[in-house]
Amino acid sequence: FPLLSPRCVMGVKTVLLVGPTGVGKSWLGNQLAGKTVFFEAGNMASVTQQCSKVIVQLDVEYHIIDSRGLFDTHKPQAEVHADLAGFAELAPNGIDAILVMIELPGGRLNNFVKMALEVVESFFGATAWQHSILVLNNCKKSPERIWADAENTQPALATKWRKFGTVICTVPPGKEDDQGNLVVESIATQIRLLRQAIENTSMVYDSKEFQQVREELNRKAGEAEGSFKTDPWRREMQEASALLLQGQLSLVDWEKKKANLLQEDEKAERERQRALSLQRERDQAAARATQREREQDEEIAQRDEVAAYICGGAATGALVAGPEGALVGGAIGCVLGISAGFAATEKSQ
């Protein structure tokens, strides 16, 4: 059963457009966005072959998902369900409003309309009506008249709608003025009311499928983060993953972003390793230079020490020999001084 959860991304409204093929879901998405963002079909073939999404900044940020029709021809119903399940990746935090669009030119909730609504309910569950806005296109009747008709012709559905507070919005067919131009004031009014209904939603539609998608996206994000070796590009990946988990970046675009960032990370890692190697070489060269300086200082100190012993020995020998034997005594003292000097240096080593 679908679960209720608080809105995870403040200031964002995620809207899912569902309904049979050719009812005008793409047209409705364009009306909500205030500009052409979805391609509209001119015939009964489904133009939207898979879920597509646009992000539009209005009074709030709208994430509008245009799903494929629930009644695409030449497709088993199970395959249609599988295709629709893909929108969970586009809205991992759930859906604020499910816009169920039905073509209602005659203004009657006939068996085809009933079947379409049953398909929607079978996919999303009965409690989905709590998050649904029923949009009846090309309908001249007011929402109040539709409520009355539903209670007379589809009492079970009407009971569910009242139980869950389902909102009904009717979009009248366009009118032409004397020059043949489409008058859209009445349509624009209904679109404004529809936006108000969307922005008044406070809880989101959630389900096991959404939870599984969130878990899978979190797993992918964690694995991606662990693949990076340099902090700057890892942070870039974290930012991209945050957008993915908020539904602001599709999984396809996230995968492309990850591939590009990994390439940059590899380059940065090679540069880092090259810099480390150069630093090691510089450190080793500095250590060798320091060792040479130390050896040179020790060699000079040894020579000075030997010289001191020689001078001391010569002076001592001359003093002992007296004036007459000073030369011989000095020579003997030098020899003794040299021996003593080398002995002292070897001892110090």
Side-chain angles (χ1 to χ4, degrees), residues 33 89 96 145 208 228-229 260 271 279 287:
E89 291 182 354
D96 289 286
R145 287 283 305 278
K208 280 184 179 179
F228 284 79
K229 301 179 179 68
N260 292 334
E271 290 296 326
Q279 186 60 47

Side-chain angles (χ1 to χ4, degrees), residues 50-70:
Q50 57 186 350
C51 297
S52 56
K53 174 181 175 178
V54 296
I55 298 177
V56 180
Q57 186 65 51
L58 299 173
D59 292 337
V60 298
E61 185 176 282
Y62 274 77
H63 292 201
I64 306 174
I65 303 172
D66 187 7
S67 70
R68 61 180 295 143
L70 294 181

Side-chain angles (χ1 to χ4, degrees), residues 138-180:
N138 288 326
C139 179
K140 297 180 180 180
K141 292 183 178 180
S142 68
E144 292 75 18
R145 287 283 305 278
I146 296 298
W147 273 113
D149 290 348
E151 289 175 341
N152 290 329
T153 60
Q154 307 291 343
L157 271 177
T159 299
K160 290 178 184 178
W161 293 347
R162 289 201 180 278
K163 175 182 177 181
F164 294 113
T166 302
V167 176
I168 294 180
C169 178
T170 58
V171 180
K175 298 179 181 180
E176 293 184 353
D177 58 20
D178 295 338
Q179 287 74 39

Side-chain angles (χ1 to χ4, degrees), residues 313-323 326 329-330:
T316 302
L319 182 63
V320 172

Side-chain angles (χ1 to χ4, degrees), residues 107-291:
R108 295 181 60 83
L109 297 173
N110 54 33
N111 287 333
F112 177 78
V113 173
K114 179 183 178 182
M115 181 173 64
L117 298 176
E118 287 175 349
V119 169
V120 173
E121 183 175 317
S122 69
F123 182 76
F124 293 104
T127 55
W129 295 118
Q130 184 172 0
H131 312 279
S132 297
I133 299 176
L134 187 60
V135 182
L136 303 178
N137 195 23
N138 288 326
C139 179
K140 297 180 180 180
K141 292 183 178 180
S142 68
E144 292 75 18
R145 287 283 305 278
I146 296 298
W147 273 113
D149 290 348
E151 289 175 341
N152 290 329
T153 60
Q154 307 291 343
L157 271 177
T159 299
K160 290 178 184 178
W161 293 347
R162 289 201 180 278
K163 175 182 177 181
F164 294 113
T166 302
V167 176
I168 294 180
C169 178
T170 58
V171 180
K175 298 179 181 180
E176 293 184 353
D177 58 20
D178 295 338
Q179 287 74 39
N181 299 315
L182 187 65
V183 180
V184 296
E185 283 82 359
S186 58
I187 295 177
T189 298
Q190 295 304 315
I191 294 300
R192 283 196 297 270
L193 293 174
L194 179 57
R195 285 178 182 163
Q196 290 176 7
I198 293 170
E199 292 169 17
N200 286 336
T201 58
S202 58
M203 304 297 289
V204 299
Y205 174 85
D206 200 5
S207 68
K208 280 184 179 179
E209 289 75 18
F210 282 87
Q211 294 170 3
Q212 291 170 353
V213 166
R214 284 195 294 272
E215 291 173 1
E216 178 64 12
L217 294 180
N218 274 292
R219 183 189 66 79
K220 288 178 177 290
E223 289 181 353
E225 182 179 343
S227 301
F228 284 79
K229 301 179 179 68
T230 62
D231 290 338
W233 296 109
R234 184 182 295 108
R235 285 193 294 270
E236 288 272 354
M237 190 72 253
Q238 289 171 343
E239 292 174 3
S241 295
L243 294 177
L244 172 71
L245 298 175
Q246 292 170 6
Q248 295 178 311
L249 187 67
S250 70
L251 182 59
V252 172
D253 290 338
W254 179 84
E255 292 283 4
K256 293 178 181 176
K257 182 81 170 178
K258 182 183 73 170
N260 292 334
L261 291 178
L262 280 173
Q263 289 181 354
E264 296 298 329
D265 180 68
E266 288 294 333
K267 293 179 184 176
E269 177 62 12
R270 286 195 297 269
E271 290 296 326
R272 190 177 74 89
Q273 293 295 338
R274 187 179 297 112
L276 288 174
S277 178
L278 291 173
Q279 186 60 47
R280 282 194 298 268
E281 291 177 2
R282 286 194 293 267
D283 291 344
Q284 292 170 357
R288 289 193 296 269
T290 301
Q291 180 64 25

